[in-house]
Amino acid sequence: MGTDTEGAPGRGGPLAGVRVLELGGIGPGPFCGMVLADMGADVIRVERPGDRGALAMPVLLRGRRSVALDLKDPVAARAVRSIAERCDALIEGFRPGVTERLGLGPEELCQANPRLVYARMTGWGQDGPHAQAPGHDINYLALSGALHTFGPADGDPVPPLNLVADFGGGGMLLALGVVSALLRAQRDGRGQVVDASMVDGTALLLAMTYGFLANGLWTDQRGVNLLDGSGPFYRVYRCRDQRHVAVGCLEEQFRADLLRVLGLTDDPDFATPDDRKNWPVMNQRLEQIFTSRTRDNWAALFEGTQACVTPVLSLNEAAAHPHNLARGTYLAGPTGIVQPSPAPRFGGTPSDAPRAAPTPGEHTAEVLAEAGLTSAEIAALTPEPGR
């Protein structure tokens, strides 16, 4: 992208040559940094001295270089500004106004580096009544409307880990925003601020659901819709060994294969599978059938069919499944930690295997030297251990 990358580690991937500054944070910001690093960007993470860093997030912080600086120290903040002048993008996840108070806001940094893409990750957004309120994935999920849709009709909403707001609607869309703004800056030489809100992003993920709601294909109630686990052909069934299989045969031809394997092709209870009034009967019949075998028995029986039935695997089982092994979907990282491989895959500019998460502050002197600081300035910012 035309940035000075002398001294940066050589990397493969479509973002090789892009330099990104990441200002600390947890959750979606580091996930964005990980995705960009996986794609080959030189991601420099600024952490507070003493932070546990890679010890706390050994996968999310992979592939970075780490700088330990106290952003509240004006001398350290000036050093960060020097680093930012040599970067293509910056990502930060503080509450609105924090980086401005530190002298690291977009107005100041973008004036010094007009090409800088300044990407901001918050729960509520940079403005609005909740902008300064604390929160976590579950809160953003709740306010977006998404949490209401997860869970049984006769039960409480069930949060889907922190996958939707933190990572899907947050970090992933932040990465898309960074890359989109970088493409624009490549054309006109001007960076811009990217305001990524987890509420906004989660709402965007509901695009199809809101479309269904508008045309009458979705009811604004939990546990009564086609894709929320209440329909007989798109749900999870318990097996004899208390493990589960996932059934997803929405289309007629796949549903026909399921019924064939189960011996239900001519069963009158399944004569009108799209009639929602019959769902309770079909659900009950299928529940009884699936409890007659173990999960792995069912997986073997449906292997090679078009019925869209798969075993529900644990995290450890998923990493060892033959399909995932063949694709290399998971890998044992440099420290032996099982983790997901970089995705998506690029035919012309494949990503390298991810490097291990750095020791906090491991690259402080190296990065500060690249930013043009003198030996004396670097020494003042990197005191010897124990001092």
Side-chain angles (χ1 to χ4, degrees), residues 165-201:
D166 268 359
F167 300 131
M172 191 70 77
L173 281 176
L174 181 66
L176 174 62
V178 168
V179 172
S180 299
L182 285 173
L183 286 172
R184 179 70 187 189
Q186 193 174 37
R187 290 198 296 271
D188 63 16
R190 291 183 297 176
Q192 58 186 297
V193 174
V194 179
D195 174 6
S197 152
M198 283 176 261
V199 173
D200 295 351

Side-chain angles (χ1 to χ4, degrees), residues 88-108:
D88 299 290
L90 177 148
I91 55 180
E92 62 97 357
F94 301 115
R95 291 192 202 182
V98 170
T99 57
E100 283 85 351
R101 291 194 293 273
L102 295 170
L104 299 170
E107 183 174 352
E108 184 166 6

Side-chain angles (χ1 to χ4, degrees), residues 25-78:
I26 60 174
F31 181 77
C32 173
M34 184 198 77
V35 170
L36 298 176
D38 283 352
M39 297 299 103
D42 174 23
V43 179
I44 300 167
R45 177 178 168 87
V46 178
E47 307 181 80
R48 289 178 300 181
D51 273 3
R52 297 178 66 236
L55 297 176
M57 297 184 287
V59 177
L60 281 183
L61 297 189
R62 71 189 186 190
R64 313 284 213 285
R65 293 196 285 167
S66 173
V67 174
L69 293 171
D70 181 0
L71 298 182
K72 295 180 180 180
D73 177 355
V75 177
R78 285 198 298 272

